């Protein structure tokens, strides 16, 4: 009973501190929350929480603020992630459903996440090496010029033009299209490239058809293009202006980190499956200089998680609301990529 009451006190302090940005005293708790205990009991609970390292008193006469340990207990004891409202779901759907390609999906997602959380949003492009081939289209633009369209499970589309030395008949084109799709469709990028390579491996002394070789070389080149594997998009940097009171400890290190793509990728961590949202608070992160920063992230993708998205910001944040927004955006992006 006492533990549950103290957890309620901690929860109230976290909520008030995030909302007011001011240390929280016992009088404020009594006025704002129905804790059904006397102010003296609340003061005793606050003192006990401070002794256990969950709260900190910045000044002798001030109220308390949560520590990283306090935020961690608060997050861990959330019974469920706060559900998004109908209006929020409608807004997310209408904003993301208009995306026309993968770049547009990423741009819209990172802007939406920054708006919903009022934090710095980071979205990693889907990792090419973990995607599968959804379809390969081979279109004759002229009898000697082909357009290849490679469609991946991430929603990424690669196009290549192939010039042939001789005309390609319609039945030859159809047969080539069928062989290419039979070898590559449904396979991971690496396996698809190997299977396509098998199409041009012939006994010594023989030559593979020139058109087949040209098409396979172009497709393998498209599949080995790893430009997006570590690309990220960032939005909402202006939201850091809200934390001007902690510029040196929280904002400056984060601004410097935003210039380093490798640091941001490491902050996001490995993409997670099953809709799990990970929260790393303060010193739990990989960089000591960002010990005043928290990261809320999850994986997204139509099948297994292909990449990560999330937010980074000072530890004083609305964790329930942020976790809900990150999860909701990831689910919608996954659905869009799956349907694209």
């Amino acid at each position: 009973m006492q533990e549950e009451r103290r957890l309620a006190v901690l929860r109230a302090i976290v909520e008030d501190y995030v909302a007011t940005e001011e240390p929280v005293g016992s009088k404020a708790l009594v006025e704002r929350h129905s804790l059904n205990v006397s102010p003296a009991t609340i003061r005793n609970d606050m003192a006990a929480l401070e002794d256990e390292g969950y709260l900190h008193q910045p000044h002798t006469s001030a109220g308390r603020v949560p520590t990283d340990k306090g935020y961690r207990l608060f997050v861990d004891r959330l019974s469920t992630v706060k559900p998004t409202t109908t209006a929020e779901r409608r807004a997310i759907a209408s904003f993301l459903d208009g995306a026309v390609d993968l770049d547009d999906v990423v741009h819209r997602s990172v802007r939406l996440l920054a708006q919903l959380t009022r934090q710095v949003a980071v979205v990693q492009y889907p990792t090419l090496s973990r995607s599968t081939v959804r379809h390969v289209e081979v279109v004759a633009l002229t009898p000697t010029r082909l357009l290849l369209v490679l469609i991946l499970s991430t929603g990424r589309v690669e196009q290549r033009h192939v010039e042939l030395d001789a005309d390609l008949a319609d039945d030859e084109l159809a047969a080539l299209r069928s062989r290419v799709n039979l070898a590559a469709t449904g396979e991971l990028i690496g396996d698809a490239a190997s299977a396509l390579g098998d199409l041009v491996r012939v006994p010594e002394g023989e030559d593979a058809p020139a058109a087949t070789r040209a098409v396979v070389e172009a497709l393998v080149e498209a599949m080995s293009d790893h430009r997006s594997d570590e690309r990220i998009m960032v939005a909402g940097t202006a939201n850091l202006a809200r934390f001007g009171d902690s510029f040196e400890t929280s904002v400056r290190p984060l601004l410097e980190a935003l210039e380093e793509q490798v640091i941001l990728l490491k902050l996001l961590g490995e993409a997670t499956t099953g809709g799990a949202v990970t929260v790393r608070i303060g010193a739990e992160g990989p960089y000591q200089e960002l010990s005043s920063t928290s990261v809320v992230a999850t994986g997204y993708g139509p099948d297994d998680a292909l990449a990560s998205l999330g937010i980074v910001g000072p530890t004083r944040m609305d964790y329930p609301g942020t976790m809900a927004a990150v999860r909701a955006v990831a689910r919608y992006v996954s659905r869009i990529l799956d349907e694209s």
Side-chain angles (χ1 to χ4, degrees), residues 6-7 9-24 49-50 52-56 58 64-79 119 242-243 245-246 250 278-284 290-296 313-323:
R6 287 180 180 172
L7 182 61
V9 170
L10 175 63
R11 184 182 298 114
I13 290 175
V14 170
E15 292 172 355
D16 281 8
Y17 182 58
V18 169
T20 67
E21 304 179 15
E22 297 290 341
V24 182
L49 288 167
E50 184 175 6
E52 294 170 6
Y54 297 112
L55 298 177
H56 167 63
R64 269 75 164 188
V65 300
T67 62
D68 287 358
K69 184 179 178 181
Y71 284 126
R72 169 50 59 194
L73 180 61
F74 171 78
V75 170
D76 289 347
R77 294 297 293 269
L78 288 173
S79 56
Q119 300 285 355
R242 296 188 296 121
F243 301 93
D245 58 321
S246 54
S250 298
T278 60
V279 181
R280 288 193 293 185
I281 299 170
E284 296 171 356
L290 295 175
S291 60
S292 296
T293 298
S294 288
V295 180
V296 179
T315 52
R316 188 185 73 228
M317 70 170 64
D318 172 17
Y319 288 98
T322 299
M323 292 166 68

Side-chain angles (χ1 to χ4, degrees), residues 108-188:
R108 286 171 180 255
S109 300
V110 74
R111 284 161 45 208
L112 175 62
L113 201 51
Q115 292 170 10
L116 290 173
T117 63
R118 300 183 67 206
Q119 300 285 355
V120 177
V122 183
V123 177
Q124 177 189 13
Y125 271 75
T127 303
L128 184 62
S129 60
R130 295 172 64 181
S131 59
T132 58
V133 176
R134 182 167 288 169
H135 183 67
V136 179
E137 189 55 66
V138 184
V139 181
L141 301 178
T142 71
T144 59
R145 183 175 174 83
L146 303 179
L147 170 65
L148 308 182
V149 183
L150 173 66
I151 305 172
L152 303 181
S153 60
T154 60
R156 178 172 172 175
V157 177
E158 292 284 341
Q159 296 185 6
R160 296 291 187 275
H161 289 91
V162 175
E163 298 289 347
L164 304 178
D165 294 331
D167 290 2
L168 190 66
D170 289 346
D171 58 338
E172 293 175 320
L173 175 66
L176 176 55
R177 182 188 299 117
S178 177
R179 290 199 304 275
V180 165
N181 273 289
L182 187 62
T185 301
E187 300 290 336
L188 286 168

Side-chain angles (χ1 to χ4, degrees), residues 86-100 104 108-109 111-112 115-116 332 335-336:
T86 301
E88 288 171 335
R89 290 194 297 272
R90 191 179 297 118
I92 292 171
S94 63
F95 191 77
L96 294 182
D97 284 347
V100 296
D104 198 15
R108 286 171 180 255
S109 300
R111 284 161 45 208
L112 175 62
Q115 292 170 10
L116 290 173
Y332 274 97
R335 190 203 72 195
I336 290 170

